[in-house]
Amino acid sequence: MPPDALWAAVALAGLACLGIKLAGHVLPEHWLARPRVARVAALVTVALLAALVAVQTATDGGRLVVDARLPALAVAAVALVLRAPFVVVVVLAAVTAAGLRLLGMP
């Protein structure tokens, strides 16, 4: 992708985000207070974060890869299920990835 097109896409995405944010302030408050809207908003946030984690963990340059990040994510997921503090989750995942890379896993 040429740099000009990339910057145009970034600027367009930024304007779209700003428009969505402004639309949230314009909408009547009782529309956003509906339980269905609140539930969908919460699920969209979780879905976007999960997609971001999946893409960052299992891809490299547009290719699917299995490397030390995937087991580190699994360790982090287990730590989260066990309700470990966030710092502990991050440290466990980092130590797992570092250890596997030290053992030769890409």
Side-chain angles (χ1 to χ4, degrees):
M1 178 180 277
D4 291 341
L6 179 65
W7 282 111
V10 169
L12 188 63
L15 288 174
C17 290
L18 181 64
I20 292 169
K21 190 170 182 98
L22 291 176
H25 291 287
V26 175
L27 290 176
E29 191 171 328
H30 68 275
W31 287 10
L32 301 174
R34 293 180 181 170
R36 178 182 284 182
V37 173
R39 193 171 48 242
V40 168
L43 292 176
V44 166
T45 303
V46 170
L48 287 174
L49 288 174
L52 179 63
V53 168
V55 167
Q56 292 297 316
T57 302
T59 63
D60 185 24
R63 297 179 297 121
L64 284 176
V65 294
V66 176
D67 57 14
R69 295 176 294 176
L70 206 53
L73 179 63
V75 168
V78 170
L80 285 173
V81 168
L82 296 175
R83 299 195 179 274
F86 183 71
V87 172
V88 173
V89 172
V90 172
V91 168
L92 285 174
V95 167
T96 301
L100 290 172
R101 288 185 173 145
L102 188 65
L103 294 174
M105 188 173 191

